[in-house]
């Protein structure tokens, strides 16, 4: 069935997965931090989130990758707080300063239905890692009320493989970051110990579940993996190693969104290697590294816009 979660709902497996996910909250082990606090009792760990999810905003988003935004927008739900602490986060007001409010599962389900009603192509869960069980519970309610558009799991990529495994047969589109190839950089700039290890394991599992992105005749993604890579100044992101991993351990057909939009937000001014935008030369080098590894599916970002790239002929999506 499509979306995949309808099959899981109809055969009863979704309810079982929700129970397993909530069990992880008793001694929280949702992400690599494994804080061990009891979120069922509303205790707070690194992500500063107890039992109920906290939402900053919901809206149709027209600035995502073209097959995700489409004509009517991607139905984004921005969750407050985060299991990472990126010193340059462009969404720091709600990811780090925790703007937003707690919502019930029924409210969250209502948000999903509102986005579907205005014809959004999907439900785009932004920063879902730390509230995955709560999302699934709301999803179950929303399905019973008529939700039937696919889920986009839009994550910073600091995930546990075994937690991503729970989403098999529920999520149709994975949109993870691959932020760092060097653990020292991940620790210094995002407080995310062993990010490369956990990130690569999780992305492999995402690829196993949904495979290469499948885009329909109207240009909308139906299922698959799209990897985002934000090019950071001074090669902090380790682009070459990430492109090698994608090419050799996933597939050369993998869709990549190579992003040039880095802006020194939040605390970036306090870090000399991060306190500027990237140069045209840095982005060109990143693009060459991608092509050197035979990666040609996806989008590049120049002059603030996303462009489709395929071979040497770059055409703007319309």
């Amino acid at each position: 069935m499509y979306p995949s979660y309808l099959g899981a709902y109809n055969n009863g497996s979704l309810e079982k997965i929700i129970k397993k996910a909530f069990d992880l909250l008793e001694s929280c082990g949702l992400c690599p931090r494994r804080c061990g606090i009891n979120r069922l009792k509303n205790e707070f760990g690194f992500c500063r989130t107890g039992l109920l999810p906290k939402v900053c905003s919901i809206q149709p988003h027209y600035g995502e990758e073209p097959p995700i935004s489409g004509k009517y927008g991607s139905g984004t739900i921005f969750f407050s707080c985060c299991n990472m602490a990126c010193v340059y986060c462009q969404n720091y007001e709600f990811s780090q300063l925790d703007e937003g409010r707690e919502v019930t599962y029924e409210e969250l389900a209502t948000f999903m239905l509102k986005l579907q009603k205005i014809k959004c192509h999907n439900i785009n869960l932004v920063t879902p890692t730390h509230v995955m069980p709560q999302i699934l519970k709301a999803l179950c309610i929303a399905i019973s009320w008529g939700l039937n558009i696919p889920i986009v799991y839009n994550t910073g990529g600091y995930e546990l493989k075994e937690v991503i495994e729970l989403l098999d047969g529920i999520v149709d589109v994975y949109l993870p970051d691959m932020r760092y190839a060097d653990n020292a950089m991940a620790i210094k700039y995002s407080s995310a110990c062993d990010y490369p290890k956990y990130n690569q394991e999780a992305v492999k599992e995402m690829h196993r579940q949904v495979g290469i992105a499948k885009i329909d005749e109207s240009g909308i993604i139906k299922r698959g993996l799209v990897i985002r890579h934000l090019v950071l100044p001074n090669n902090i992101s380790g682009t070459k190693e990430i492109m090698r991993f994608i090419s050799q351990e996933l597939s050369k057909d993998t869709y990549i969104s190579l992003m040039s939009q880095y802006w020194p937000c939040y605390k970036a001014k306090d870090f000399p290697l991060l306190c500027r935008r990237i140069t045209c030369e840095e982005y060109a080098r990143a693009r060459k590294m991608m092509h050197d590894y035979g990666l040609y599916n996806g989008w590049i970002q120049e002059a603030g816009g996303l462009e489709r790239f395929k071979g040497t002929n770059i055409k703007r999506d319309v």
Side-chain angles (χ1 to χ4, degrees):
M1 298 186 72
Y2 185 81
S4 297
Y5 59 69
L6 293 179
Y9 177 82
N10 289 336
N11 66 26
S13 61
L14 179 55
E15 286 283 2
K16 294 176 182 177
I17 292 167
I18 291 170
K19 184 183 183 307
K20 288 180 181 179
F22 269 86
D23 286 346
L24 292 172
L25 294 176
E26 187 172 6
S27 177
C28 194
L30 272 182
C31 84
R33 296 189 186 281
R34 294 185 174 95
C35 289
I37 47 88
N38 190 344
R39 290 176 59 190
L40 298 178
K41 293 185 177 179
N42 212 37
E43 294 176 1
F44 287 13
F46 186 93
C47 71
R48 307 172 304 284
T49 304
L51 178 57
L52 290 178
K54 195 172 181 181
V55 172
C56 177
S57 67
I58 65 165
Q59 59 185 310
H61 197 316
Y62 300 94
E64 303 282 52
E65 290 74 7
I68 294 173
S69 287
K71 179 179 179 180
Y72 300 110
S74 180
T76 47
I77 301 177
F78 290 90
F79 291 96
S80 305
C81 311
C82 186
N83 72 327
M84 296 174 69
C86 302
V87 298
Y88 51 85
C89 182
Q90 66 179 7
N91 295 327
Y92 69 91
E93 292 94 343
F94 58 88
S95 70
Q96 304 303 315
L97 303 183
D98 306 349
E99 286 185 8
R101 68 174 180 88
E102 286 187 345
V103 298
T104 66
Y105 308 120
E106 291 78 11
E107 282 182 286
L108 184 51
T110 299
F111 295 160
M112 296 178 185
L113 270 295
K114 285 182 177 178
L115 292 166
Q116 177 173 276
K117 187 175 181 179
I118 60 174
K119 298 184 179 181
C120 289
H121 299 284
N122 45 61
I123 301 298
N124 188 339
L125 306 168
V126 183
T127 321
T129 309
H130 59 299
V131 286
M132 183 273 283
Q134 295 91 328
I135 289 169
L136 293 186
K137 189 165 183 175
L139 175 65
C140 194
I141 296 168
I143 295 168
S144 72
W145 292 347
L147 186 72
N148 60 12
I149 56 177
I151 295 295
V152 176
Y153 199 81
N154 185 344
T155 168
Y158 197 37
E159 302 274 1
L160 288 173
K161 176 189 174 186
E162 55 266 36
V163 174
I164 295 299
E165 287 173 347
L166 292 177
L167 299 175
D168 193 4
I170 296 171
V171 171
D172 278 302
V173 181
Y174 282 106
L175 185 61
D177 288 333
M178 293 198 76
R179 193 71 61 83
Y180 303 105
D182 185 320
N183 186 46
M185 299 296 101
I187 293 171
K188 182 173 183 178
Y189 298 116
S190 294
S191 300
C193 186
D194 290 327
Y195 178 96
K197 169 184 179 292
Y198 290 116
N199 178 246
Q200 290 177 16
E201 290 175 352
V203 171
K204 274 188 174 181
E205 173 59 19
M206 295 173 189
H207 175 76
R208 184 196 69 79
Q209 289 180 24
V210 299
I212 305 302
K214 299 170 184 64
I215 299 171
D216 69 15
E217 62 280 357
S218 63
I220 302 300
I221 188 167
K222 306 303 287 184
R223 183 174 171 83
L225 172 68
V226 175
I227 295 172
R228 284 177 167 171
H229 180 63
L230 178 66
V231 181
L232 295 173
N234 298 294
N235 196 34
I236 287 169
S237 45
T239 300
K240 183 176 181 179
E241 173 55 25
I242 287 173
M243 297 304 158
R244 183 211 63 78
F245 168 82
I246 296 170
S247 176
Q248 297 180 6
E249 301 195 41
L250 298 181
S251 168
K252 288 184 171 66
D253 294 326
T254 302
Y255 279 72
I256 300 169
S257 181
L258 189 70
M259 299 188 294
S260 64
Q261 69 192 48
Y262 173 75
W263 182 266
C265 297
Y266 194 35
K267 299 178 180 179
K269 66 181 185 301
D270 299 327
F271 294 84
L273 296 182
L274 275 177
C275 64
R276 63 168 176 81
R277 298 202 68 175
I278 66 169
T279 65
C280 293
E281 291 76 16
E282 284 174 317
Y283 189 72
R285 283 196 294 271
R287 183 176 166 187
K288 183 177 185 301
M289 290 172 192
M290 181 176 63
H291 288 170
D292 284 347
Y293 278 103
L295 300 163
Y296 288 95
N297 276 339
W299 302 268
I300 59 170
Q301 199 174 35
E302 291 182 327
L306 281 163
E307 292 185 336
R308 178 74 181 271
F309 64 82
K310 186 72 175 176
T312 57
N313 297 318
I314 300 170
K315 297 180 180 179
R316 185 175 298 277
D317 273 283
V318 292

